[in-house]
Amino acid sequence: MVLIRCYTAQDRAAEPTYKPFTTTTPTHQNRHNTIETGLPEDWEVRHSQSKNLPYYFNSATKTSRWEPPSGTDVDKLKIYMAKYHSPTSQQQQSQQPQGKIRCAHLLVKHNQSRRPSSWRESEITRTKQEALTTLQGFEQRIKSGSISLGELALTESDCSSARKRGDLGYFGRGDMQKEFEDAAFALKPGEISGIVDTASGLHLIERLE
């Protein structure tokens, strides 16, 4: 089942059990020496895509850890992490790919969905009408300003992107189911769609970028 490509971008690295050091990318340590990072020799900062967190990797021993290794100059490391790994710095460094947009969504599945199961429920038995009523309730809460789509997605979305507040990352034309794509590309940044019906279930979509 396509699941509107929930496994694009954010979910590419999602596994049933997190393996935080297997889906990772090197970061600025490849371009900055240990003097700037304050890490001991052979240590570098990498980024776990599945956890979306930085961690420390020893290129000589191939070992990984979440905490800085002993011998680290913590003052230098704090400056380095603030410069390259704070949410603000990461946002500034990332550029929107040409022709792509970034959205979050809240998915409510029903018993007619292509795959009527999710991380929340192994077997989804609610009817499509019940799913619609549920999502309409969420929609009203979002419109009232009492809660954001991302906050609701954390606990209520049937997509595994829920752990990222529904964030699906960047995608382009042809990456999603057509109904989802059409609704998403019609939005301006900051706008939220009405209820969108796809083979995966019912969605509310928020255009992030």
Side-chain angles (χ1 to χ4, degrees):
M1 170 184 176
V2 177
L3 265 183
I4 76 145
R5 300 292 296 274
C6 288
Y7 37 79
T8 62
Q10 298 301 324
D11 235 12
R12 265 184 213 119
E15 306 96 4
T17 302
Y18 285 124
K19 299 177 181 178
F21 303 130
T22 58
T23 54
T24 59
T25 54
T27 59
H28 294 82
Q29 174 65 15
N30 290 338
R31 300 191 295 275
H32 299 277
N33 58 32
T34 56
I35 295 176
E36 182 172 356
T37 63
L39 294 171
E41 187 177 357
D42 296 326
W43 285 93
E44 62 188 63
V45 181
R46 290 195 174 186
H47 198 87
S48 168
Q49 294 176 0
S50 58
K51 288 284 193 179
N52 195 26
L53 292 170
Y55 71 96
Y56 306 95
F57 177 78
N58 188 303
S59 58
T61 63
K62 309 301 181 186
T63 56
S64 305
R65 55 186 293 161
W66 293 113
E67 299 298 325
S70 60
T72 296
D73 185 324
V74 293
D75 291 329
K76 288 182 179 179
L77 181 61
K78 285 179 182 178
I79 294 172
Y80 175 84
M81 297 302 280
K83 185 176 181 181
Y84 295 113
H85 287 278
S86 68
T88 300
S89 67
Q90 290 178 343
Q91 185 176 13
Q92 290 173 345
Q93 290 165 23
S94 64
Q95 295 183 350
Q96 182 172 350
Q98 187 174 4
K100 297 187 180 237
I101 62 174
R102 178 170 160 243
C103 292
H105 79 139
L106 196 167
L107 169 65
V108 177
K109 291 185 175 184
H110 48 78
N111 57 11
Q112 296 176 47
S113 295
R114 283 187 180 179
R115 191 180 65 145
S117 63
S118 74
W119 67 275
R120 299 177 67 247
E121 299 176 73
S122 59
E123 182 181 1
I124 294 173
T125 59
R126 74 174 70 90
T127 66
K128 187 172 183 178
Q129 182 57 49
E130 288 171 337
L132 177 61
T133 300
T134 296
L135 197 56
Q136 285 172 335
F138 294 155
E139 184 178 32
Q140 289 304 312
R141 292 179 63 189
I142 294 168
K143 285 181 176 180
S144 73
S146 64
I147 195 167
S148 68
L149 183 147
E151 289 170 328
L152 271 174
L154 278 169
T155 57
E156 305 299 333
S157 180
D158 284 315
C159 178
S160 54
S161 64
R163 70 180 187 278
K164 302 292 185 186
R165 301 171 66 91
D167 192 343
L168 295 169
Y170 291 104
F171 59 87
R173 294 282 186 181
D175 289 338
M176 301 290 184
Q177 293 179 24
K178 188 176 187 306
E179 300 90 344
F180 189 98
E181 177 185 295
D182 289 346
F185 274 88
L187 297 171
K188 296 178 182 178
E191 290 183 340
I192 298 177
S193 72
I195 293 174
V196 179
D197 188 355
T198 75
S200 298
L202 303 177
H203 315 254
L204 289 174
I205 306 168
E206 181 177 6
R207 172 85 179 266
L208 302 176
E209 297 180 40

